[in-house]
Amino acid sequence: MDGLFERGRELDELDVHFARATAGEGRLVVVEGPAGIGKSRLLAEIRRRAEGSMRVLSARGSGLEGEFAFGVVRQLFEAELTKPERREALLTGAATSAAAVFGEPDSGADGGGATFASLHGLYWLVLNLAEDAPLLLAVDDLHWCDRPSLLFLAYLARRLESQPILLLMGLRDAEPGTDPALLGEITHDPAAISVRPRPLSGAGVAEFIQERLGMAPDGEFLAACHESTGGNPLLLSQLVTALRSEGVRPDAGHVGRVRAIGPQAVSRTVLLRLARLPAEARAVAQAVAVLGDGAGIPTVAKLAGVAEERLAAATRGLAHADILRPELPLSFVHPLVRDAIYHELSPGERELQHARAAALLRDSGAPAEQVAAQLLHTAPRGERWAAELLREAGRDAMHAGAVDSAVAYLRRALDDTPADTDRGRLLLELGAAEVFTSGRAAAKHLALAYEELAEPASRAAAAGLLGRALLFLGSAEEAASIARRAATELPDESDDLRMGLEAFEFMTIIFRAGDPRHLSRLREYRRLPSGGPGSRMLAAMAAWEAVCTDGNAAECAALALAALAGDHLRTADPALIVFAAIVTLVVTDRAEVVEVWQPIIADTHRRGSLLSAASIHIWHGFSHLRRGDLAAAEESLRTAESEFGLWGHADSSVSICRTFLAETLHERGRSDVSGLLVRLGTIDPGDSTTGWWLGTRVVLLTAAGRAGEAVATADELAAHCAAIPDAARLWWRSLKAEALDRLDRRAEAIELTRQELEVTRAFGAPWPLGRTLRVLGTLERDEDRLREAVSVLEGSTARLEHAKALAALGATLRRAKKPTEAREPLRRALEVASACGAERLAEHVRSELHACGARPRRDALSGVQSLTPGERRVVDLAAAGRTNRDIAQELYVTPGTVEVHLSNAYRKLGIRSRSELERVLAVATSGSLRDS
């Protein structure tokens, strides 16, 4: 189909999005419709129009290449990376971690999922490409896109704001595709714009027929053509091509011929035209159908059994018959044309052709993944070369972060490996990959690997992975049993491996395996670790157990810091036990947690998996929440929520993310409490996150005025803490006390909070102690307790709790008829609450100030003190001369986030540009020195 008929509306709409993307307003546009409606022609036309004003990169999904690791991504970008100097310039900075996708051996990730490191690196590759000129990324046949590439496109789609990028995709209706859930993530994104080409009208069909047949159709012939094709441009094109080849005139006398060809015009006419071509042309068409679009000429010639010098004539005939495109690389005019030719081969013929193709590609030195893609379309034959090649392709895919492809290759490698050979290492590799796609499949293969492996370290590795797979499948008892067995079977010299397994067994108790009293055995590890990862894992667990039982904050924090020293712990266990140490630092209010997070986040962006990144963003969000940086907390938790959505699995981590986000949104005053309770949802009572969830539910129920339910939920939390050690021992009583107070049971509330005060004084961390003092002082209307709460929290990391203490002190003074004295703590509370982004608290404090007769003229602290930690980091880097892109790469955020932080900072600092930052910061520094 040479022309575009009746596509003015669609092209006008696409032109608008094209212009906005060129102007720096990122756009995500999906052209949707049934096969043959003209999606590809619209994409091609927009690509043509963009030439000269945008850098245009395009790719197309293929049904044959669904397991080809990052196949669509590589179609998009590989041509840009062919020249070494260009490659080096593009794969620099944050984009370095994308190098593994393109085959660089020393840049791999940790082997998990379509890794977060690869996705993040590819994102920065796109930004680097868009830096020189606006960028059009056009992906046709999105439904056939390989899953790793789909993950990247979904990741990119959410980060287009304020970027000169048009992400344009073609998607076939009613086609389930490679991954329906991921396709839904893209097409249902709030920023996604859908363009739906309409069928041709009767007038459009008439115009098309006249152009192709050289004469206008009469009414009856036109009606038959319109009815037969439904106005579908491809079906109409194939119908008219068939009619023209038969010399049919467009008149009433030939209506019967139109109806004979009917709506199956594509397959019928393609096969008819193919049958009229020479045998060599038919063989070439079948070879391209088997090898896939873009196959090399030598391989096509060998598979077709045609001399290369005769291939040109065969492809010319196929192009003239409207089967192949006239230009290189070899490809069909439409996927439906390829399907007609491919499925005309019998299943046996298809398998033999794929087997021959695999052998040809292997002999020609093609990459392992190209050979593997062909082998996946054949039955296992137990050939050693095939098993070895598939295993190599699986390792390459894991290195690039394409776990779905790796699993497909490794499963097939297992099928091709005889059962009587040593399969232990292969089973371990397969199970390690399946951990990120299917926990049950992973558990099955890791259990087999554990039984078949002989070397102690490999067996311990299999046991560790198997235990984690079982743990997240909800089989904590079985996970504990595996760890116990593996630990006892290790030789004496494998002491550190044994410690790592023991630490994991302790973690299973947190997940409700075995007797919680056994956690007391961790007391013997409340000493600074001196060995490898295993000893540090035990130290991390011991630190957390101490937080949850009878430890004091200083000792717990010292143990956690020792466990985190170096990179032993985060390298050995980046998504589970490492958080025991980090959350210990958060609960103990240690300022060092900021420095602890930095290398962990950096390492995740360099080589972390999507799962580990999501887990890290949850606990980083919790850290921000406790520190009172609510905007950063919300951003981190929403990022985690998005990453879990891309990962496609739900477990207790999703529950804890939802819990912390509900608390954050409540503090920000961004949602009504009833909506947040719905968002919080329900939880399995035996879930490892029960304590966090119950605590947040108490807070929300109390705020919603459902104090009776809040008390009952607090009692559940108390029972939970009695059953299993939990950090909520430090705050459940004051949570219940606030609910009791709403029920006019103040005496009970006071007694309960006094009990908690003994606990939090012994623990000694500012946040829990300050919170208890605030609640007790409010209940007793005791100014001295509230002043102590303010004093305890002054200078701590817990800024939001500090603001709450100041607000409580001011409110108590006002009620004691001391309005003048109340104004100062209330003003400070308003300043700190506003700096935290705690609008709910700020609104409450404003009302208190008005009740005191004050008229607050400003909400936030003045100058540099008003900046959130995130804003301050951005401002410091901007003042040092860093560009927004440099800052974004260093802080692992998007350029849009940097722009938002700078905009907020300029407003708070009373300046208009970054050129004024150095002066403002210098004034703040000199003032601070004078005060000291």
Side-chain angles (χ1 to χ4, degrees):
M1 184 174 176
D2 298 321
L4 280 166
F5 292 86
E6 296 188 333
R7 291 294 178 253
R9 177 188 66 87
E10 291 87 349
L11 286 171
D12 287 345
E13 186 177 355
L14 289 169
D15 280 341
V16 169
H17 301 308
F18 163 71
R20 288 181 176 172
T22 304
E25 301 176 28
R27 282 291 184 272
L28 165 61
V29 180
V30 184
V31 182
E32 300 180 79
I37 200 65
K39 303 181 296 295
S40 298
R41 287 292 291 118
L42 282 171
L43 264 64
E45 178 61 18
I46 291 299
R47 292 200 307 268
R48 185 190 67 77
R49 295 185 182 198
E51 294 289 352
S53 57
M54 299 185 87
R55 185 188 305 280
V56 178
L57 305 178
S58 60
R60 188 173 195 168
S62 167
L64 278 178
E65 298 177 352
E67 303 298 349
F68 200 84
F70 284 113
V72 164
V73 161
R74 288 159 67 173
Q75 283 184 59
L76 284 171
F77 303 121
E78 274 187 329
E80 293 287 330
L81 303 173
T82 52
K83 294 181 179 178
E85 62 277 9
R86 176 73 169 156
R87 186 183 186 96
E88 184 178 352
L90 289 173
L91 295 177
T92 190
T96 303
S97 56
V101 173
F102 304 101
E104 292 193 13
D106 298 324
S107 53
D110 69 3
T115 68
F116 179 72
S118 295
L119 301 181
H120 182 73
L122 288 168
Y123 166 69
W124 277 98
L125 169 60
V126 169
L127 294 196
N128 289 343
L129 285 163
E131 188 174 21
D132 298 333
L135 182 64
L136 168 58
L137 299 176
V139 179
D140 203 0
D141 291 330
L142 183 70
H143 44 282
W144 284 329
C145 181
D146 61 280
R147 191 171 186 276
S149 294
L150 270 180
L151 272 168
F152 166 65
L153 293 171
Y155 184 87
L156 175 63
R158 299 181 178 186
R159 292 162 173 80
L160 293 173
E161 187 178 0
S162 302
Q163 297 301 323
I165 299 168
L166 172 57
L167 180 54
L168 178 63
M169 295 178 280
L171 176 65
R172 184 186 297 180
D173 278 350
E175 181 75 43
T178 308
D179 189 315
L182 268 179
L183 287 170
E185 285 282 335
I186 296 170
T187 57
H188 297 145
D189 188 285
I193 300 159
S194 176
V195 175
R196 303 190 71 89
R198 294 174 292 191
L200 299 180
S201 66
V205 172
E207 182 184 356
F208 183 87
I209 293 171
Q210 182 167 1
E211 182 184 276
R212 286 298 184 90
L213 298 184
M215 61 186 73
D218 68 17
E220 194 173 345
F221 186 92
L222 172 60
C225 290
H226 198 205
E227 179 184 353
S228 178
T229 64
N232 183 292
L234 177 68
L235 298 182
L236 179 63
S237 174
Q238 294 297 315
L239 172 63
V240 173
T241 298
L243 295 172
R244 184 176 60 188
S245 69
E246 297 177 13
V248 171
R249 293 175 60 83
D251 55 33
H254 292 92
V255 167
R257 187 61 189 139
V258 171
R259 290 176 176 153
I261 295 175
Q264 302 300 318
V266 175
S267 58
R268 291 181 183 180
T269 63
V270 166
L271 296 176
L272 180 61
R273 296 199 306 275
L274 188 63
R276 291 172 179 165
L277 294 175
E280 288 184 341
R282 295 197 296 273
V284 168
Q286 291 170 353
V288 176
V290 167
L291 289 164
D293 286 352
I297 287 176
T299 307
V300 170
K302 289 179 181 177
L303 185 59
V306 175
E308 283 190 45
E309 57 270 19
R310 297 184 59 81
L311 190 72
T315 55
R316 186 164 52 249
L318 289 165
H320 183 72
D322 204 23
I323 293 173
L324 289 185
R325 296 179 186 275
E327 70 277 356
L328 292 175
L330 297 175
S331 60
F332 289 98
V333 296
H334 194 277
L336 291 180
V337 175
R338 179 259 169 195
D339 288 348
I341 293 171
Y342 183 76
H343 290 291
E344 181 65 9
L345 294 167
S346 69
E349 289 175 313
R350 291 199 296 268
E351 181 171 334
L352 287 173
Q353 287 286 66
H354 282 298
R356 287 189 61 217
L360 286 170
L361 288 167
R362 176 201 61 187
D363 293 344
S364 66
E369 60 192 358
Q370 288 187 18
V371 185
Q374 293 293 327
L375 288 171
L376 292 179
H377 292 280
T378 66
R381 301 183 179 188
E383 296 176 309
R384 183 176 295 277
W385 74 265
E388 292 175 351
L389 186 139
L390 285 158
R391 193 170 176 184
E392 179 187 350
R395 288 170 175 168
D396 290 344
M398 286 299 289
H399 178 75
V403 71
D404 298 275
S405 303
V407 166
Y409 296 148
L410 293 171
R411 283 179 179 171
R412 177 54 195 276
L414 188 64
D415 291 340
D416 266 310
T417 302
D420 58 352
T421 61
D422 181 10
R423 304 190 308 165
R425 292 296 306 175
L426 174 56
L427 284 163
L428 177 57
E429 290 174 25
L430 174 56
E434 287 173 326
V435 162
F436 298 94
T437 63
S438 170
R440 297 194 184 283
K444 171 187 172 183
H445 290 124
L446 289 168
L448 290 171
Y450 182 73
E451 297 301 333
E452 294 197 20
L453 288 165
E455 195 269 321
S458 298
R459 283 174 61 80
L465 287 170
L466 174 57
R468 283 159 176 78
L470 291 168
L471 189 67
F472 290 108
L473 282 171
S475 301
E477 292 281 3
E478 193 176 350
S481 175
I482 287 291
R484 228 177 359 257
R485 175 187 166 190
T488 58
E489 291 178 353
L490 282 169
D492 293 341
E493 61 269 21
S494 299
D495 209 35
D496 197 67
L497 289 174
R498 184 181 298 103
M499 286 194 231
L501 289 166
E502 288 174 0
F504 174 74
E505 185 183 352
F506 284 123
M507 179 60 82
T508 65
I509 299 176
I510 304 295
F511 283 73
R512 298 299 185 94
D515 188 344
R517 290 175 296 182
H518 291 167
L519 287 171
S520 63
R521 288 162 32 210
L522 281 164
R523 293 169 185 268
E524 65 182 276
Y525 297 106
R526 291 186 188 180
R527 58 178 185 269
L528 300 185
S530 57
S535 68
R536 294 171 192 276
M537 291 165 75
L538 277 173
M541 290 302 302
W544 182 243
E545 187 271 342
V547 166
C548 297
T549 53
D550 60 355
N552 68 66
E555 293 171 353
C556 295
L559 192 54
L561 287 167
L564 290 163
D567 61 358
H568 303 287
L569 179 55
R570 62 186 170 89
T571 299
D573 195 2
L576 187 62
I577 293 177
V578 67
F579 296 122
I582 295 174
V583 180
T584 293
L585 295 180
V586 176
V587 174
T588 56
D589 285 323
R590 294 300 291 254
E592 296 97 324
V593 75
V594 175
E595 284 69 38
V596 167
W597 276 121
Q598 289 173 350
I600 290 173
I601 291 171
D603 195 52
T604 300
H605 283 80
R606 283 195 301 268
R607 58 192 182 96
S609 72
L610 195 58
L611 174 60
S612 64
S615 301
I616 284 166
H617 281 125
I618 286 177
W619 293 108
H620 199 205
F622 171 70
S623 181
H624 285 310
L625 172 61
R626 281 291 176 264
R627 290 172 60 82
D629 192 351
L630 298 180
E634 182 178 352
E635 180 182 3
S636 189
L637 292 165
R638 288 197 184 280
T639 298
E641 200 172 44
S642 169
E643 287 161 351
F644 278 119
L646 292 179
W647 185 51
H649 299 269
D651 60 9
S652 58
S653 296
V654 177
S655 300
I656 196 69
C657 182
R658 194 169 59 229
T659 297
F660 292 152
L661 185 55
E663 184 177 347
T664 301
L665 294 174
H666 175 58
E667 296 290 4
R668 297 203 75 184
R670 292 296 178 89
S671 299
D672 66 280
V673 179
S674 58
L676 289 174
L677 281 165
V678 172
R679 180 185 181 90
L680 189 63
T682 59
I683 196 171
D684 180 349
D687 196 291
S688 62
T689 61
T690 298
W692 302 109
W693 183 86
L694 287 170
T696 297
R697 184 166 172 79
V698 175
V699 170
L700 296 178
L701 286 170
T702 303
R706 295 159 60 179
E709 293 175 71
V711 168
T713 304
D715 287 338
E716 289 183 56
L717 180 55
H720 168 78
C721 290
I724 188 165
D726 195 287
R729 75 180 181 95
L730 299 168
W731 53 76
W732 73 262
R733 295 174 181 83
S734 56
L735 290 176
K736 182 178 178 180
E738 289 176 309
L740 287 169
D741 186 43
R742 298 288 185 95
L743 297 173
D744 294 325
R745 295 162 63 181
R746 178 165 296 177
E748 290 177 63
I750 290 173
E751 177 57 31
L752 199 60
T753 314
R754 285 175 176 169
Q755 293 172 19
E756 183 175 281
L757 184 58
E758 294 180 16
V759 176
T760 52
R761 278 203 193 281
F763 187 64
W767 184 87
L769 176 57
R771 175 190 158 75
T772 306
L773 287 165
R774 169 177 63 81
V775 174
L776 184 56
T778 301
L779 291 169
E780 295 178 329
R781 296 172 175 77
D782 186 331
E783 297 170 20
D784 290 336
R785 283 214 194 274
L786 291 170
R787 292 185 194 281
E788 184 185 0
V790 171
S791 175
V792 164
L793 292 160
E794 193 88 50
S796 77
T797 66
R799 292 199 312 163
L800 179 56
E801 187 55 45
H802 183 216
K804 290 180 180 181
L806 287 164
L809 174 59
T812 298
L813 290 168
R814 180 190 66 77
R815 293 189 188 98
K817 303 188 184 308
K818 301 176 182 178
T820 303
E821 194 176 344
R823 289 173 188 170
E824 179 56 26
L826 287 173
R827 284 195 180 103
R828 291 180 61 202
L830 181 57
E831 291 169 346
V832 179
S834 298
C836 289
E839 184 54 35
R840 184 180 62 83
L841 176 61
E843 190 58 37
H844 165 70
V845 175
R846 286 189 200 99
S847 67
E848 287 287 344
L849 278 165
H850 283 291
C852 288
R855 295 293 180 266
R857 290 172 293 179
R858 57 187 173 84
D859 290 351
L861 295 163
S862 59
V864 174
Q865 287 181 301
S866 67
L867 302 178
T868 68
E871 290 164 354
R872 181 59 196 264
R873 286 193 299 272
V874 169
V875 162
D876 285 342
L877 291 170
R882 306 287 185 85
T883 66
N884 286 9
R885 285 172 55 81
D886 292 338
I887 297 169
Q889 292 192 62
E890 183 162 339
L891 299 182
Y892 304 104
V893 296
T894 67
T897 298
V898 174
E899 291 173 11
V900 169
H901 280 325
L902 283 176
S903 177
N904 289 338
Y906 294 165
R907 174 177 51 80
K908 292 178 180 181
L909 297 174
I911 61 176
R912 294 186 176 182
S913 70
R914 68 201 305 139
S915 62
E916 301 176 75
L917 285 174
E918 188 175 357
R919 172 184 59 79
V920 171
L921 293 177
V923 170
T925 301
S926 62
S928 176
L929 290 173
R930 284 196 302 273
D931 293 342
S932 62

